[in-house]
Amino acid sequence: MKPYDNRAWFLVLPALVIVTLVGILPLIAVTNYSFQDLFSLNNPYWVGIDWYRNIVTSDRFYASLGRSFLFSAIVLSIQLPLGIWIALLLQRSHQFIVSTVLVLITVPLVVPWNMIPVIWLNFINPNAGLAGRMLAWLGVGFDYKFNALHTWIVLVVMDTWHWLGLVVVLAYAGISSIPPAYYQAAAIDAASPWQVFRFIQLPKMKTVLSMAVLLRFMDSFMIYIEAFRINAGGPDSATAFLSLDLGEEIQSFNYGPSAARSIIYFLIVLTVAWTFKAATSTRARAPIGMEPAR
Amino acid sequence: MKSSLGRTVLFVVIGAFVLVPLAQTIMTSFVSTLPRAGITEGHFSLVNYRNILNSPVLKQAILNSIIYVVLNVVLCLGVGFPAAYAFARYSFVGDRQLFFLLLVFRITPTVVLSLPIFVLFAQIGLENTPVGIALVHCVFNIPISIWILEGFIAPVPREFDETAFLDGHSLPSFFFRHLVPAVAPGIGVTAFFCFIFSWVEVVLARILTTTGGKPITMAINALFGFRTDFGLVMAMTVLALVPGIAMIYFVRNHLAKGFVIRT
């Protein structure tokens, strides 16, 4: 048990001051804007919940919400199993291979986000890009500009390229924290590889994996720059995600509506974070399969 | 034997998946993509890299990026370390609520906060400077640094602290003389994650640098125009990758060790 000492607040105070300045204060300001019509910041006009009503009664908002959920669902259902699988294979590999694969797979994480679509557009360009020319040569009529399915494929593949490394690193970190004794116990009990995975590796990876799910969910749910650059929400709004609508309003300096939209999105974030916290803490209290297979 | 072959094939496929799109970028950066006197279009050339060296704007952008990212990492480590120690060693009023608040700010999309941050920072004169970006990026990097550092500090036995205090060390002196060296890999991993998340962020960096102090990412954006020099864009992109890849190389053995995030 950790000792109870409120002097610890002095240690967290500097961090809290900065987070207040760049997180909490802007949030208060944006809440304030969201109830006003601000032609300029000096001429506020109270409009109450008008902006909120406009957003939550528009079909466009629900369509974007649906698309964002679908995108996150696809992204998670690909990246999570793939990341775990790669981490499991790494765990049985030589140290040198582990380092090499981890270094390689994390390289896309250091690419500035506005350059990711540039790299991919260059790659799938039908005239000059390696993938684009390959597809043309194979006779695939690939058209990411006007075919909605193709735009979606580009976005999903690009997002997987970008973020798979994070899932692998987190999953591998979880696996490598398992003491060898667990595997020895499983071997004595003649546990199958599936049982080892289900009852030893998965429970041990739980914390880091839930973190990976949370981070991947939020980042894909609010994908902005990458999606915007590929096709600006097109064709025909087929890839108009939540953030693109917000980005559009901020770009045109519609303070009131964009503030209301920011608050709605923040409430979604809050709900997700709270659900995540509730889910992880109840699971921690019910230690199903925490012990090695008997 | 069979499974190890399959594994190798899979790793090669992954490597190719990661590298091939990048390979095209690197190749493009070494050819002249606009008609120029004395250089054949599409042939190997260092002209793009030479153009960067001859451009004060692009060199300044690289410098701006380095300044803000270093400031951000120092700031996050500086305030994150004592906070992580507090979370690892003590319970206090509101500790779980504070942890939740940090979690929320880590996952809040930057686009949600961008408008008020722009207004706020314009009022206090922190726009168009690397210092402003360094501060703003703390909103997601301070939570990260506290999580990672806490994961490294928590396993250090409490006796370690107590011995140092008995020896007459004050808290700051204990931090610098004993705890920091003991969790050095953790500091490396934290610096790495703060570095990459700050280096790649563009929404806040863009809204804060509309007229000046542009980092490398925004300088690349500014290169797009009527007749875009794609070779130059790709050369800047390649340069933008170099520090990140160097960081990955330095922390490669610690990247996956002890990365335990408590929730």
Side-chain angles (χ1 to χ4, degrees):
Chain A
M1 224 13 238
K2 287 186 283 188
Y4 184 84
D5 192 339
N6 277 324
R7 282 177 302 172
W9 268 102
F10 288 110
L11 295 171
V12 297
L13 201 60
L16 190 63
V17 167
I18 295 184
V19 170
T20 304
L21 177 70
V22 295
I24 296 172
L25 285 182
L27 209 58
I28 293 170
V30 86
T31 312
N32 186 23
Y33 297 163
S34 72
F35 295 110
Q36 315 198 358
D37 191 357
L38 295 152
F39 183 67
S40 78
L41 284 175
N42 303 322
N43 289 312
Y45 175 75
W46 183 265
V47 295
I49 58 163
D50 279 9
W51 302 131
Y52 290 96
R53 197 185 298 133
N54 288 348
I55 295 166
V56 298
T57 54
S58 73
D59 293 341
R60 190 186 161 88
F61 172 68
Y62 294 101
S64 300
L65 188 68
R67 281 189 285 264
S68 285
F69 266 118
L70 180 63
F71 184 69
S72 289
I74 295 174
V75 156
L76 275 177
S77 62
I78 292 174
Q79 295 174 6
L80 207 64
L82 192 60
I84 295 173
W85 187 46
I86 294 171
L88 287 172
L89 291 175
L90 279 178
Q91 190 238 342
R92 282 181 274 143
S93 302
H94 188 266
Q95 183 58 42
F96 173 75
I97 295 176
V98 174
S99 292
T100 313
V101 173
L102 284 181
V103 167
L104 265 180
I105 212 162
T106 39
V107 165
L109 289 177
V110 303
V111 182
W113 290 7
N114 59 340
M115 295 323 292
I116 284 176
V118 175
I119 289 173
W120 276 82
L121 286 177
N122 190 28
F123 185 52
I124 59 175
N125 184 313
N127 300 319
L130 288 173
R133 274 188 302 187
M134 178 79 117
L135 288 168
W137 182 73
L138 289 170
V140 181
F142 192 75
D143 185 359
Y144 67 90
K145 279 269 178 237
F146 295 104
N147 184 324
L149 179 66
H150 292 178
T151 311
W152 273 79
I153 292 173
V154 170
L155 288 176
V156 169
V157 172
M158 183 176 76
D159 194 80
T160 305
W161 180 80
H162 185 182
W163 287 108
L164 186 61
L166 186 72
V167 183
V168 172
V169 166
L170 290 174
Y172 183 76
I175 292 179
S176 43
S177 70
I178 301 173
Y182 281 61
Y183 293 113
Q184 288 153 10
I188 292 169
D189 295 339
S192 70
W194 168 252
Q195 285 172 322
V196 171
F197 175 69
R198 173 64 189 82
F199 295 108
I200 299 177
Q201 290 166 325
L202 202 56
K204 280 287 174 186
M205 283 195 281
K206 194 186 60 190
T207 322
V208 276
L209 280 186
S210 53
M211 203 61 218
V213 170
L214 183 70
L215 289 176
R216 282 314 302 125
F217 174 78
M218 257 355 276
D219 284 342
S220 57
F221 193 63
M222 290 286 172
I223 183 169
Y224 177 51
I225 294 281
E226 298 96 317
F228 184 76
R229 279 286 178 79
I230 290 290
N231 215 353
D236 198 20
S237 298
T239 54
F241 300 115
L242 285 173
S243 294
L244 268 64
D245 292 340
L246 178 57
E248 228 167 71
E249 272 172 355
I250 291 178
Q251 290 284 299
S252 42
F253 288 96
N254 290 331
Y255 289 107
S258 56
R261 207 174 271 277
S262 298
I263 292 296
I264 292 174
Y265 292 5
F266 183 73
L267 291 178
I268 298 176
V269 171
L270 212 57
T271 315
V272 170
W274 193 82
T275 314
F276 166 79
K277 193 175 178 247
T280 47
S281 54
T282 45
R283 267 193 289 153
R285 262 184 263 120
I288 302 161
M290 285 299 281
E291 318 83 350
R294 270 174 294 222
Chain B
M1 229 24 240
K2 194 174 129 267
S3 77
S4 110
L5 182 71
R7 222 187 307 159
T8 314
V9 170
L10 179 82
F11 289 154
V12 170
V13 170
I14 294 167
F17 176 56
V18 170
L19 289 181
V20 171
L22 277 180
Q24 174 140 34
T25 296
I26 296 168
M27 270 156 30
T28 314
S29 79
F30 282 107
V31 297
S32 170
T33 50
L34 287 183
R36 284 189 181 87
I39 306 166
T40 331
E41 232 180 301
H43 278 243
F44 176 83
S45 154
L46 289 173
V47 67
N48 300 314
Y49 291 94
R50 256 203 314 274
N51 283 347
I52 294 173
L53 282 182
N54 293 332
S55 159
V57 177
L58 295 181
K59 277 194 293 189
Q60 184 61 44
I62 295 172
L63 190 65
N64 285 342
S65 269
I66 293 171
I67 291 173
Y68 93 71
V69 87
V70 168
L71 261 177
N72 176 265
V73 170
V74 170
L75 207 55
C76 288
L77 284 174
V79 303
F81 194 87
Y85 179 78
F87 279 114
R89 287 289 192 259
Y90 300 103
S91 58
F92 46 94
V93 178
D95 52 353
R96 299 180 67 178
Q97 286 76 6
L98 184 61
F99 218 76
F100 180 68
L101 182 83
L102 292 170
L103 172 83
V104 167
F105 277 115
R106 171 58 191 83
I107 63 171
T108 301
T110 47
V111 65
V112 168
L113 295 172
S114 60
L115 178 72
I117 281 180
F118 169 70
V119 176
L120 182 72
F121 276 48
Q123 276 165 1
I124 55 179
L126 277 174
E127 88 277 42
N128 299 328
T129 133
V131 181
I133 310 179
L135 259 178
V136 155
H137 284 179
C138 286
V139 75
F140 48 83
N141 270 350
I142 284 180
I144 282 281
S145 65
I146 293 177
W147 280 329
I148 301 178
L149 286 172
E150 201 231 351
F152 279 87
I153 294 174
V156 176
R158 191 178 296 277
E159 290 74 36
F160 187 77
D161 311 20
E162 281 154 9
T163 318
F165 294 138
L166 286 179
D167 288 347
H169 281 286
S170 65
L171 195 62
S173 144
F174 160 68
F175 277 174
F176 284 110
R177 300 263 176 81
H178 293 282
L179 196 57
V180 169
V183 298
I187 292 184
V189 173
T190 310
F192 169 74
F193 277 98
C194 289
F195 174 91
I196 62 166
F197 286 125
S198 177
W199 187 259
V200 300
E201 201 282 332
V202 287
V203 175
L204 292 172
R206 179 177 66 186
I207 204 149
L208 282 178
T209 59
T210 41
T211 55
K214 286 187 191 299
I216 203 164
T217 45
M218 294 304 111
I220 295 174
N221 267 1
L223 291 176
F224 287 92
F226 174 60
R227 219 167 56 133
T228 306
D229 186 351
F230 274 101
L232 186 63
V233 169
M234 293 309 174
M236 275 301 270
T237 307
V238 171
L239 286 187
L241 296 184
V242 171
I245 293 174
M247 289 287 285
I248 295 178
Y249 183 77
F250 285 125
V251 297
R252 69 190 181 285
N253 291 325
H254 299 290
L255 207 54
K257 274 184 210 146
F259 191 107
V260 186
I261 298 172
R262 206 192 57 156
T263 48

